[in-house]
């Protein structure tokens, strides 16, 4: 898992936010974002300076780019 700041995460991810590269994303119940890539790889991110509301905004933006996002059931 990679920990990062929100601005760094958005900068790195922006060029790749596309269904051609990311098959789907998953938000875990621990607020980790898991990306499943079309080549079979995956990467887990923990954004350590992000509120839950900001994280949900990021998820909404990912969906707007056409990438399916699944979310863990709240406990």
């Amino acid at each position: 898992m990679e920990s990062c700041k929100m601005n760094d995460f958005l900068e790195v991810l922006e060029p790749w936010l596309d269904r051609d590269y990311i098959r789907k994303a998953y938000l875990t119940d621990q607020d980790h974002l898991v990306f499943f890539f079309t080549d079979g790889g995956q990467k887990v991110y923990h954004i350590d300076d992000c509120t839950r509301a900001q994280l949900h905004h990021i998820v909404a933006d990912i969906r707007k780019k056409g990438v399916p996002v699944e979310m863990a059931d709240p406990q």
Side-chain angles (χ1 to χ4, degrees), residues 20-58:
D20 291 338
Y21 301 107
I22 301 174
R23 183 171 43 89
K24 74 175 182 178
Y26 179 72
L27 180 62
T28 72
D29 57 351
Q30 298 172 335
D31 292 338
H32 299 151
L33 269 173
V34 183
F35 290 96
F36 298 90
F37 298 98
T38 56
D39 67 0
Q42 75 179 46
K43 185 131 182 159
V44 181
Y45 291 92
H46 172 72
I47 306 168
D48 55 15
D49 68 340
C50 184
T51 66
R52 183 171 266 272
Q54 289 171 314
L55 191 55
H56 282 263
H57 182 72
I58 291 170

